[in-house]
Amino acid sequence: MWHEYEIPLTGTFHLNGDLILFTQVAAATEERSAWAYVCIDPDDADSLENADFVSLDEMDAFVEDKFAGREVVIALADGDKLLDTWTREIIGSGGLPQALESALNKVIQSVNRVDQERRIRAKLAGVEAATAELDMLSA
């Protein structure tokens, strides 16, 4: 693991012989978070497995570069459990944050197809997050 705080936040793991790079993209609360995963080309595996960073900023730039232009999986988690909610996204010029926003829009669209009560709860959660951000900025 390259970065952790109680749980691994950025690092690698092996799955079926593939090297997977993961990072936490965002955490809305202590319980809810979003994660990105990308399969690393075998030619790049050594550079990741032996990576060493002098700062968190250096690690973040390295990770962003490894995700750039690639198809990734964005998954949502509740606590330490991944939810069944995930999408595949191509990382464009907006990086991981833009890919996360696109993934969240897909989740909201899927909720829109379900029922009005769930749509209202999803939108209330969005309003709660927006007002909390405004409160933090004005403090």
Side-chain angles (χ1 to χ4, degrees):
M1 296 309 122
W2 295 334
H3 180 59
E4 57 187 292
Y5 181 78
E6 295 180 6
I7 61 168
L9 300 175
T10 302
T12 60
F13 63 88
H14 289 274
L15 178 66
N16 298 328
D18 293 320
L19 181 65
I20 308 298
L21 172 63
F22 71 92
T23 192
Q24 184 182 47
V25 183
T29 66
E30 288 184 19
E31 295 301 314
R32 300 283 161 92
S33 57
W35 299 82
Y37 303 86
V38 66
C39 188
I40 299 301
D41 186 285
D43 295 336
D44 285 342
D46 285 342
S47 70
L48 267 79
E49 290 182 325
N50 298 316
D52 189 27
F53 309 102
V54 296
S55 71
L56 192 54
D57 288 339
E58 181 183 356
M59 183 201 69
D60 288 342
F62 180 85
V63 169
E64 276 284 333
D65 182 61
K66 294 301 178 189
F67 278 91
R70 308 280 308 278
E71 182 178 55
V72 305
V73 169
I74 303 284
L76 303 179
D78 190 9
D80 60 357
K81 181 180 176 187
L82 284 178
L83 302 174
D84 288 339
T85 308
W86 61 273
T87 64
R88 294 183 343 197
E89 300 289 332
I90 302 291
I91 304 298
S93 61
L96 287 169
Q98 184 176 32
L100 174 58
E101 185 173 8
S102 175
L104 293 174
N105 285 336
K106 289 177 183 175
V107 170
I108 290 169
Q109 287 171 356
S110 72
V111 170
N112 283 340
R113 287 186 228 117
V114 178
D115 64 50
Q116 186 177 35
E117 182 181 341
R118 288 189 70 190
R119 278 195 313 271
I120 290 170
R121 284 196 317 251
K123 290 178 181 183
L124 283 172
V127 169
E128 180 182 336
T131 56
E133 180 71 22
L134 288 174
D135 290 344
M136 289 187 340
L137 292 173
S138 64

